[in-house]
Amino acid sequence: GAIGIYKWRYTGLNRWHGKGSTPNFQKIIQERCDTYTQQIRPDSRSRDCQGITQAFMSAFISKDPCKATKEDYQPLIDLAYPTVPCGKAVFWSKTKELAREYAKGRGLLTLEDTLLGFLADGLSWCGEPGSSDLNYQSCPDWKKDCSTNYFSVFWEVLSERFAENACGTVQVVLNGSIENAFDKMSIFGRVEAHNLRSVVMLQAWLVHDPGKPPRDSCSGSSIKELESILNGRNVRFTCRDNLR
Ligand code: APR
């Protein structure tokens, strides 16, 4: 009856509103780690992929999927700190694919070019208290369920470390076809922009979708907001419309 369905909905594996864990999550992590350390960056061959996979799984398995903390991921981050050489980092917000292309064409690197970013790129994951398995049915949605879910906290803590370690001149690719190209609630706006410890200059590129009217520009108020955050940190700032 209705009560049975209610109970099932709120206690079952299906109760969250986000996408469930990616099938074969652990196997994908393991395989990506081997590919990265052996083929993509052979200088990282000494990395312990078994240990890294173990640390990733232990961070969230058997835990309440809404109670993720940065500390849960600390052992994993300690095994593979996200660093790139000075002058090579590219940040993005609502422009992932384009930023990846932009970086690739210029010998620059996004978070997804570091080991942990590469491992988790495009995957979802969450566990379930009292179970050693992942929840493949559903995972918490940031808005509808909880912001402290394991997926979101992972990208936040990894992005924070990535930004802290960026140095020299760095770039950010932003979307000029949306209302606020600089979104202060995004990871770039909330986390990365505030953690640029050794960055001397940030160059912003505002990309306009050729099929859509431009909705924001370098002279718009959202970019002014970014500029003022950077001014407060003594980071020089440039902005150019239209990367295409
Ligand atoms: N694959 C899947 N999801 C990701 C990835 C990824 N490689 N990176 C981030 N995410 C998640 C995060 O939860 C993020 O908030 O998807 C969301 C993407 O949201 P956007 O608003 O497009 O961008 P933003 O929140 O600004 O996050 C991107 O943070 O991950 C870092 O260095 C990265 O500068 C980039 C920024």
Side-chain angles (χ1 to χ4, degrees), residues 120-168:
D121 189 19
L123 305 181
S124 351
W125 62 94
C126 65
E128 177 68 16
S131 157
S132 57
D133 207 359
L134 288 81
N135 183 348
Y136 295 103
Q137 309 284 310
S138 67
C139 287
D141 175 77
W142 193 83
K143 256 200 185 134
K144 292 182 183 152
D145 300 307
C146 53
S147 57
T148 52
N149 65 74
Y150 278 92
F151 171 87
S152 302
V153 170
F154 172 84
W155 287 113
E156 275 163 27
V157 60
L158 193 64
S159 304
E160 186 180 322
R161 297 289 175 273
F162 182 61
E164 268 171 18
N165 270 275
C167 45

Side-chain angles (χ1 to χ4, degrees), residues 90-96 110-112 117 120-123 142 151-152 155-156 159 162 172 183 185-190 192:
V90 176
F91 299 95
W92 54 269
S93 202
K94 278 114 192 155
T95 52
K96 186 173 118 183
T110 68
L111 182 56
E112 293 72 30
D121 189 19
L123 305 181
W142 193 83
F151 171 87
S152 302
W155 287 113
E156 275 163 27
S159 304
F162 182 61
V172 62
D183 171 5
M185 293 308 287
S186 68
I187 293 193
F188 176 69
R190 211 160 25 95
E192 291 175 327

